[in-house]
Amino acid sequence: MPKSECACHHKNTPRSEEVQSDIRRRLNRAIGQLNGVKDMIDDNRYCGDVLTQLSAAESAVRRVSEIVLREHMRTCVVEEIQAGNTDVVEEVVDLMKRFS
């Protein structure tokens, strides 16, 4: 699908540079951990060590999800409710179920 036909939404309020920087740093760390896991698999490393690294990568991604969800609640959800769109509450409930 061409970029102009993306079904993705864009935020009305941009993320702060501080939040974007924190998310980028955390994602880069998780990517590095996952690349390390690939190398460990290629090197036939001990399963327990691989699982430990996978757990660290999962924790890093989970933390990014928490940050993005918090940002979503503080900006997008507040803006939608202020605009009269209370349907966004169901979206938030679904998102919270997905990440719990």
Side-chain angles (χ1 to χ4, degrees), residues 58-97:
E58 283 180 282
S59 292
V61 170
R62 193 173 321 110
R63 183 66 182 126
V64 170
S65 295
E66 291 169 5
I67 292 167
V68 172
L69 181 59
R70 182 184 309 113
E71 175 78 3
H72 182 57
M73 296 287 290
R74 288 181 177 164
T75 58
C76 302
V77 173
V78 169
E79 291 167 3
E80 288 296 317
I81 290 173
Q82 288 174 340
N85 179 10
T86 57
D87 292 340
V88 73
V89 173
E90 284 304 313
E91 174 196 273
V92 171
V93 170
D94 291 341
L95 288 169
M96 292 177 79
K97 283 181 194 175

Side-chain angles (χ1 to χ4, degrees), residues 16-75:
S16 71
E17 184 53 44
E18 180 182 333
V19 169
Q20 282 187 302
S21 177
D22 187 32
I23 290 171
R24 268 191 235 103
R25 182 177 47 81
R26 291 173 184 278
L27 287 173
N28 285 335
R29 183 179 307 137
I31 290 166
Q33 289 167 327
L34 289 172
N35 283 330
V37 169
K38 283 185 355 186
D39 293 343
M40 292 174 80
I41 295 296
D42 291 344
D43 194 33
N44 201 36
R45 297 280 296 278
Y46 181 66
C47 296
D49 294 340
V50 172
L51 290 168
T52 298
Q53 287 304 308
L54 282 170
S55 176
E58 283 180 282
S59 292
V61 170
R62 193 173 321 110
R63 183 66 182 126
V64 170
S65 295
E66 291 169 5
I67 292 167
V68 172
L69 181 59
R70 182 184 309 113
E71 175 78 3
H72 182 57
M73 296 287 290
R74 288 181 177 164
T75 58

